[in-house]
Amino acid sequence: MKLTYIAACLASFLAFGAHAQVSDNVVKIGVLNDLSGVYSDLSGQGSVIAARLAIEEFGGKVLGAPIELIFADHQNKPDVAANLARTWFDQEKVDMTTDFPTASTALAVMEIAKQKNRVTMPSSGLATAILGERCNALTAQWTTNTYALAAGTARALVKEGKKSFYFVTADYTFGHSLEKDATEVINHDGGKVLGVSRHPFPGGDFSSYLLKAQSSKADVIALANAGNDTINAIKQANEYGITRKQVVAPLLAYISDIHSIGLEKGQGMYLSEAFYWDFDDKSRAWSRKFFEKAKRMPTSAQAGVYSATLNYLKAIEAAKTDEAGAVMAQLRKMTINDAVIRNGKLRADGSLVHDMLLLEVKKPAESKEPWDYYKVKAVLKGEDVYPAPNPACPINKS
């Protein structure tokens, strides 16, 4: 009887010891994104499903503590995102936030998370400003960024002899970043930019911007926007017959966008992506699990939420704590290889450098099944497409 009592006490002590390394005896992850607006198709509920798949794969617990998931709609507004983040950190005891399909919302939450000693892992907040003067040691820009996207697509077009570009740009942080980074690549590789038209975010009627781009006679009309803005711009370019004379190149396009546009209008377009569901056996196996839940294939943003969540949990397990600084230090030690990210290394400034894919949209006759939309033209090595560390980032100055 006495031995049984001692054993029970020891078991209780060991359980307490495991939980003692997890704040509040629970690891809580928050998906903060657009659930109702222009980016809900590329992130939205699909990102919530992706995070749940990562938690289920991990077994629902880490260091003996349960893993919980919450989510909310930031409406693509930085002030809404900031208010939600404060509530999450102070009242809900959220340990990590992910997704952010607008860089402005990610930047707003990053600062609060730093103050509260919490981790931020943007999966779809892509502006390189996240790696600039406001970078911090508790943020990991997980899936990709605007420079890597531009380096893949713009460089491929210049190599094919498309030397002149005209930008149609969303007039906010993300669009400016994509335009700036693509311009740097174009100029470096011997191309030139003939002009820019900036449209409100979100947009609607792109006719005036597209007609200006058409009159420039640029080889390429580069779309520095995303989501419904990209979809509508491509559809309207087809209606005006622009695509028969000039290349319309989305510098960021998700598979959900191609699904909406259709292969007839999208065929032949080049784009760069961090993830494609039909790349190899690992990506196909995970994507089919996602499809069972979502009834559609994942975007790279949604897949990035899965990868960020899974590797965050792996880092907690390895570090034996959910303390933000320790978890981030562990993530920087790891090589990230999963169904989504290949050959990934997290830099001190928060950039996850990894291999990217250069893709071409298939012709309708080339597609063998639903969501079979791309030909993989090349695997782009991370060190070739990711930007060098930004000297404006305080971490890079130390």
Side-chain angles (χ1 to χ4, degrees):
M1 188 69 164
K2 191 177 288 185
L3 287 174
T4 303
Y5 174 76
I6 292 171
C9 288
L10 180 60
S12 177
F13 173 79
L14 291 173
F16 174 79
H19 283 269
Q21 297 170 65
V22 172
S23 58
D24 310 301
N25 293 327
V26 63
V27 171
K28 191 171 284 191
I29 294 166
V31 173
L32 190 55
N33 68 16
D34 178 356
L35 292 168
S36 56
V38 294
Y39 295 154
S40 58
D41 205 31
L42 64 89
S43 62
Q45 286 291 343
S47 292
V48 178
I49 290 169
R52 284 188 178 134
L53 286 172
I55 293 167
E56 289 171 8
E57 183 176 325
F58 211 79
K61 288 186 175 183
V62 59
L63 298 182
I67 305 163
E68 294 183 6
L69 178 70
I70 65 173
F71 57 93
D73 186 351
H74 61 35
Q75 302 170 45
N76 298 316
K77 298 176 181 177
D79 58 332
V80 174
N83 289 334
L84 284 167
R86 287 191 188 94
T87 300
W88 277 8
F89 298 145
D90 292 340
Q91 299 176 26
E92 299 287 346
K93 307 302 181 185
V94 167
D95 298 291
M96 184 273 276
T97 52
T98 186
D99 208 359
F100 307 101
T102 47
S104 55
T105 59
L107 287 164
V109 172
M110 281 167 52
E111 184 61 32
I112 300 166
K114 182 178 72 171
Q115 294 167 10
K116 305 290 184 180
N117 196 38
R118 301 290 196 275
V119 172
T120 311
M121 301 178 76
S123 156
S124 51
L126 306 181
T128 48
I130 290 171
L131 307 174
E133 61 187 24
R134 292 171 63 185
C135 79
N136 67 67
L138 300 182
T139 297
Q141 190 176 45
W142 200 254
T143 312
T144 188
N145 59 48
T146 51
Y147 189 96
L149 292 167
T153 306
R155 187 161 287 152
L157 289 167
V158 172
K159 282 183 179 178
E160 287 199 350
K162 310 297 183 185
K163 299 287 188 179
S164 59
F165 288 70
Y166 189 100
F167 283 95
V168 176
T169 300
D171 194 10
Y172 78 113
T173 305
F174 160 75
H176 297 169
S177 180
L178 196 51
E179 176 195 309
K180 173 181 174 294
D181 292 335
T183 299
E184 184 178 328
V185 172
I186 291 163
N187 290 337
H188 178 272
D189 287 12
K192 59 183 177 180
V193 176
L194 302 184
V196 178
S197 290
R198 294 192 173 99
H199 65 81
F201 168 74
D205 183 1
F206 293 88
S207 56
S208 63
Y209 312 111
L210 290 169
L211 290 172
K212 285 180 182 177
Q214 184 182 40
S215 66
S216 75
K217 302 189 184 308
D219 297 327
V220 180
I221 300 174
L223 302 178
N225 52 20
N228 289 349
D229 287 346
T230 300
I231 292 167
N232 291 330
I234 292 171
K235 285 181 177 179
Q236 289 173 31
N238 272 270
E239 290 169 8
Y240 291 126
I242 293 172
T243 53
R244 290 193 290 272
K245 297 178 181 178
Q246 292 163 292
V247 174
V248 176
L251 296 178
L252 171 62
Y254 291 96
I255 196 168
S256 54
D257 302 330
I258 305 304
H259 186 73
S260 296
I261 294 162
L263 295 183
E264 187 65 40
K265 292 183 173 68
Q267 61 183 305
M269 289 193 308
Y270 279 5
L271 56 109
S272 300
E273 276 274 41
F275 170 83
Y276 175 43
W277 76 269
D278 201 20
F279 175 63
D280 63 12
D281 289 343
K282 285 172 68 175
S283 61
R284 281 187 285 273
W286 179 77
S287 297
R288 295 198 188 283
K289 291 179 184 177
F290 181 93
F291 188 89
E292 289 176 7
K293 305 279 188 182
K295 306 308 177 190
R296 60 191 306 161
M297 286 302 178
T299 66
S300 60
Q302 293 160 345
V305 168
Y306 160 82
S307 176
T309 303
L310 182 67
N311 286 285
Y312 172 72
L313 296 172
K314 287 181 178 179
I316 290 175
E317 185 174 60
K320 302 191 183 330
T321 178
D322 68 344
E323 192 279 320
V327 172
M328 291 299 294
Q330 182 61 41
L331 280 169
R332 290 186 174 92
K333 293 177 185 176
M334 295 161 55
T335 297
I336 309 300
N337 275 306
D338 54 33
V340 178
I341 302 295
R342 308 300 165 84
N343 304 313
K345 293 296 291 185
L346 183 62
R347 289 193 322 215
D349 62 359
S351 178
L352 180 65
V353 178
H354 63 91
D355 294 349
M356 297 277 291
L357 302 175
L358 178 65
L359 305 169
E360 181 184 355
V361 179
K362 288 183 173 183
K363 298 174 182 176
E366 294 173 322
S367 178
K368 305 304 181 187
E369 61 177 307
W371 300 95
D372 175 23
Y373 292 160
Y374 298 141
K375 291 184 281 190
V376 178
K377 301 292 289 184
V379 176
L380 309 172
K381 295 299 181 186
E383 58 267 28
D384 295 332
V385 293
Y386 275 80
N390 187 337
C393 170
I395 294 170
N396 295 331
K397 293 177 181 178
S398 58

